[in-house]
Amino acid sequence: MTEMMVGLRSRTRRWAPQLVADLMGLLAIGAVVVTTWIWARNGGLLQTFVYPQYLLESQALYTGLLSQVLMVLMVLFMARIPWVEQSWGHDVLARRHKWLGYVSFWLALVHTALFALDRVRRRPSEWAGALWQLFVTDSWMLWATIGTLLIIGVVITSIQIARRRLRYESWHLLHLYAYLGMAFVLPHELADGTHFHAAWTRTFWWILYGGSLAAVLIWRVLWPLWISWRHRLVVEAVVPETESAFSVVLRGRRLDRLRTESGQFFIFRFLGGQGWTRGNPYSISAAPTGDGLRITLEAGGDGAERARTLTAGTRVLIEGPYGTMTAARRRHPRMVMLAAGVGITPFRAMLADTGYGPGDATLIYRYTDAEHAIFRTELTELAEQRGFELILLPGRRRDDGSWLPMDADGTDTDVLLRCVPDIADRDVFACGPVPWLRSVRRSARRAGVKTCDFHHEDYAW
């Protein structure tokens, strides 16, 4: 009976976000279909299959249109629209944003190359002048060229190899140039694009561009300013947790109206001093109250180092709450949580205020050594109060393909089943570094955990 009630509540909570996710997916597909129809209706099919002399131009136009619609959708997916964030989760949206960005980028390159080939084909003896005219002197084309170069720069810095060499703050600042690049590209489309001239096509494109711009302004600028002013968050104290981790205790007013759930995160900007404009995502590490929040950070990066030196009374701007790794995703009355390092922060909050009976929850906590065990004392006390099983696994990882310490006896799956024999009948929550998380997911799958019962959120940038 208890399991049936948990499942019923879970399905009731999930149906609305799932509906929003489905609608957003249909709208995205619909935008691509309408774009294709605009191209076909303006002679795209005829130029492609009947009049081969226009083939290059036709395909250049089509790839350009697809590039633009995917780029707008990419921006819309990361506009922080609350219902969309709650439906898909920030990590899923980030992956789709990245995928759309790469596809749009390659389509833009093909679009540019095909137009260049078409110009050279028409004026082979004056190819240099033809290309100069195409990329510089034609109406608004210099702006489009600059915009394309900006977007290329953003994509290059988003490649994994390049990102590893950049601080998060630097990458985030460079990433914003993509918006400037899109703005520079737009005028040449409106001025010269034959697919923008009909009244109904102009209406479609302006709704698409205007809606995305409005979503970004509302949910990434105006709404964060409003909730920051409304709740007046300030730093109360900075508390050391370990040699490499610390907590920032925040106070505000009417924070219960944010409807924050344990397991979620905010994007924080601490006002005053250098770098205050760059936001950083941090999970809340204590059950939220009506006047307080706590976040816990691990040293590393300019944002964390700056947060370590915050003084009491510092004003805070926030965006959120975001994240879907909450108790609302549970499908079973019993659950197990696996955390590594600072990944313990969302579970510290969830274990405090999630409904479960004695013995119905298990926490497996991985850390390198006692000096890096964040909340060890708090977790021990909380386990005694709430009756969950606390399993500590200290030590360095034994190899890159395992989530266990070097002295663990048995395979990853064997140890997981030994710790939680009934894991296949539980919800599994996991949070930690991406490689470690992959190992946990692989072990859980081999132990019989269904995909729908494995919950995680990837915070890696």
Side-chain angles (χ1 to χ4, degrees):
M1 178 65 71
T2 302
E3 185 169 355
M4 184 177 70
M5 291 177 65
V6 170
L8 180 60
R9 285 195 299 269
S10 179
R11 287 192 296 272
T12 302
R13 287 180 175 181
R14 282 199 302 268
W15 77 268
Q18 186 60 51
L19 178 61
V20 172
D22 292 342
L23 288 175
M24 283 295 298
L26 289 174
L27 287 174
I29 294 172
V32 174
V33 170
V34 170
T35 301
T36 302
W37 170 246
I38 290 174
W39 169 78
R41 189 174 182 272
N42 283 273
L45 292 177
L46 286 175
Q47 292 173 344
T48 300
F49 298 107
V50 180
Y51 303 104
Q53 64 269 33
Y54 299 113
L55 176 62
L56 288 177
E57 181 181 0
S58 174
Q59 293 305 303
L61 287 170
Y62 186 44
T63 52
L65 290 170
L66 285 180
S67 175
Q68 281 305 295
V69 74
L70 293 182
M71 196 168 294
V72 174
L73 290 174
M74 174 188 71
V75 171
L76 192 60
F77 278 12
M78 293 302 287
R80 312 281 195 214
I81 303 172
W83 310 285
V84 178
E85 290 273 344
Q86 294 165 14
S87 302
W88 279 344
H90 182 77
D91 58 338
V92 173
L93 286 171
R95 286 196 296 271
R96 293 183 180 179
H97 166 86
K98 180 179 177 180
W99 181 83
L100 287 174
Y102 284 139
V103 175
S104 175
F105 166 73
W106 286 111
L107 285 171
L109 290 187
V110 173
H111 162 77
T112 304
L114 289 177
F115 262 126
L117 287 173
D118 186 58
R119 290 293 181 94
V120 171
R121 180 184 63 84
R122 294 182 184 184
R123 298 165 55 187
S125 62
E126 301 177 357
W127 63 269
L131 293 180
W132 178 263
Q133 182 180 0
L134 173 64
F135 293 119
V136 179
T137 61
D138 277 356
S139 177
W140 292 105
M141 285 307 301
L142 178 58
W143 291 97
T145 301
I146 295 172
T148 301
L149 292 174
L150 287 173
I151 293 171
I152 290 173
V154 171
V155 172
I156 290 174
T157 60
S158 297
I159 297 172
Q160 193 67 28
I161 296 176
R163 288 170 65 176
R164 289 173 182 166
R165 298 176 180 272
L166 292 172
R167 300 191 310 267
Y168 169 81
E169 295 80 8
S170 301
W171 172 83
H172 187 267
L173 182 63
L174 289 171
H175 204 65
L176 296 178
Y177 281 99
Y179 293 99
L180 186 60
M182 290 179 63
F184 280 8
V185 168
L186 180 60
H188 98 278
E189 298 171 346
L190 299 178
D192 297 330
T194 58
H195 300 80
F196 288 78
H197 291 168
W200 76 276
T201 57
R202 284 202 307 269
T203 301
F204 167 75
W205 288 108
W206 279 118
I207 289 175
L208 197 62
Y209 277 102
S212 299
L213 177 61
V216 170
L217 290 176
I218 291 171
W219 300 115
R220 300 203 68 168
V221 180
L222 298 179
W223 183 251
L225 289 175
W226 160 248
I227 62 172
S228 297
W229 176 84
R230 184 186 189 191
H231 298 292
R232 310 290 178 89
L233 271 176
V234 297
V235 174
E236 184 176 80
V238 176
V239 182
E241 300 290 352
T242 66
E243 289 186 359
S244 60
F246 59 95
S247 292
V248 180
V249 181
L250 307 167
R251 291 297 170 193
R253 61 179 188 176
R254 296 181 290 184
L255 298 181
D256 52 316
R257 297 192 180 184
L258 285 171
R259 298 182 180 179
T260 309
E261 296 185 61
S262 292
Q264 292 186 304
F265 67 94
F266 289 84
I267 294 176
F268 293 89
R269 290 177 174 84
F270 301 103
L271 300 186
Q274 187 177 5
W276 69 268
T277 58
R278 296 190 290 270
N280 289 275
Y282 301 123
S283 298
I284 57 175
S285 60
T289 65
D291 62 353
L293 290 175
R294 184 183 72 175
I295 58 175
T296 301
L297 293 66
E298 193 167 35
D302 293 348
E305 291 302 326
R306 182 168 175 268
R308 188 196 288 269
T309 62
L310 291 172
T311 58
T314 300
R315 293 287 303 274
V316 184
L317 297 180
I318 57 172
E319 293 180 44
Y322 302 127
T324 59
M325 194 174 63
T326 68
R329 299 180 69 176
R330 288 174 62 192
R331 295 163 48 88
H332 305 284
R334 297 167 70 83
M335 62 182 177
V336 57
M337 299 176 176
L338 295 99
V342 77
I344 190 64
T345 53
F347 299 148
R348 166 59 184 85
M350 290 175 66
L351 286 166
D353 65 357
T354 299
Y356 57 88
D360 286 343
T362 299
L363 171 64
I364 301 175
Y365 185 22
R366 280 279 294 114
Y367 52 88
T368 304
D369 50 51
E371 294 179 352
H372 295 89
I374 307 171
F375 304 136
R376 182 173 176 177
T377 301
E378 288 187 28
L379 291 170
T380 302
E381 295 175 353
L382 190 59
E384 294 176 356
Q385 296 170 7
R386 295 295 310 271
F388 66 84
E389 184 179 7
L390 176 61
I391 300 175
L392 303 175
L393 295 177
R396 296 188 176 277
R397 289 178 65 186
R398 57 187 183 189
D399 61 61
D400 290 339
S402 174
W403 62 274
L404 293 171
M406 290 182 178
D407 59 353
D409 183 20
T411 67
D412 288 16
T413 305
D414 291 339
V415 174
L416 191 58
L417 286 170
R418 194 158 60 239
C419 292
V420 193
D422 63 342
I423 191 171
D425 299 318
R426 298 190 183 208
D427 285 282
V428 179
F429 295 85
C431 188
V434 174
W436 180 88
L437 197 57
R438 292 197 192 103
S439 300
V440 171
R441 183 168 57 232
R442 184 169 54 248
S443 300
R445 187 164 54 245
R446 291 173 179 170
V449 176
K450 298 177 182 177
T451 302
C452 56
D453 291 334
F454 188 89
H455 315 294
H456 74 287
E457 218 161 359
D458 180 5
Y459 303 106
W461 60 278

